[in-house]
Amino acid sequence: MTSKRTISIEKLKKLEPITTLSEERLQELMPLSYVEHLGIGANLFREGDIDNQTVYLLEGDVQLTSSGGQIDKIISYKDQQARFPLDDSQPRQASCSALTRVEVVRIDNSVLDYMMMWDQMAVSETTAVASKETSAPQQQVSPQQQAAPVEQQD
């Protein structure tokens, strides 16, 4: 069973690297994020999938497993690890299945990359403007000083 609903800014702010985004970017990202509720045993993604999505666990428990056995771990939404994307690699290096009822948010990688880049550019521009403003001030000449005759010495 899946159902769609929106995610709050407060929840987005807890996710890495989304937490670094400005309030404006978070507002833009909210309606572009897809929240799903899935039942026990549902597959969030499979090893080898190329889905161009970043997936975060918001509620419940999931298990990540790989066919070679390199990956076999359980992640609970209460874990610090849930702040980070579930298997962020493309193609996926593991399969992810719900051990309990879960709530996840899916964000298109292109959208997330764009938001991160846009904010970095804004920070760079703000930093450049601020550094120009704090540079040593140039000596300013008043209009009276400019109009004053220059005295010549013999």
Side-chain angles (χ1 to χ4, degrees), residues 68-120:
Q70 303 92 333
I71 301 171
D72 187 10
K73 60 184 168 181
I74 295 174
I75 300 173
S76 171
Y77 77 100
K78 296 175 185 175
D79 297 340
Q80 187 69 10
Q81 192 172 3
R83 295 183 65 209
F84 297 89
L86 298 170
D87 186 19
D88 206 24
S89 51
Q90 298 283 318
R92 300 282 185 190
Q93 301 300 304
S95 295
C96 183
S97 58
L99 297 176
T100 64
R101 294 178 132 193
V102 298
E103 180 181 65
V104 296
V105 61
R106 297 177 187 269
I107 303 170
D108 183 274
N109 287 344
S110 302
V111 169
L112 188 54
D113 290 346
Y114 171 79
M115 296 289 182
M116 299 300 291
M117 180 187 68
W118 191 260
D119 253 17
Q120 287 173 355

Side-chain angles (χ1 to χ4, degrees), residues 46-65:
R46 289 188 165 80
E47 184 176 354
D49 283 355
I50 300 174
D51 56 14
N52 196 36
Q53 294 179 340
T54 299
V55 182
Y56 293 95
L57 179 64
L58 302 176
E59 291 180 19
D61 302 326
V62 297
Q63 182 171 19
L64 289 169
T65 56

Side-chain angles (χ1 to χ4, degrees), residues 25 117-127:
R25 290 300 153 256
M117 180 187 68
W118 191 260
D119 253 17
Q120 287 173 355
M121 287 174 44
V123 167
S124 296
E125 188 173 303
T126 302
T127 304

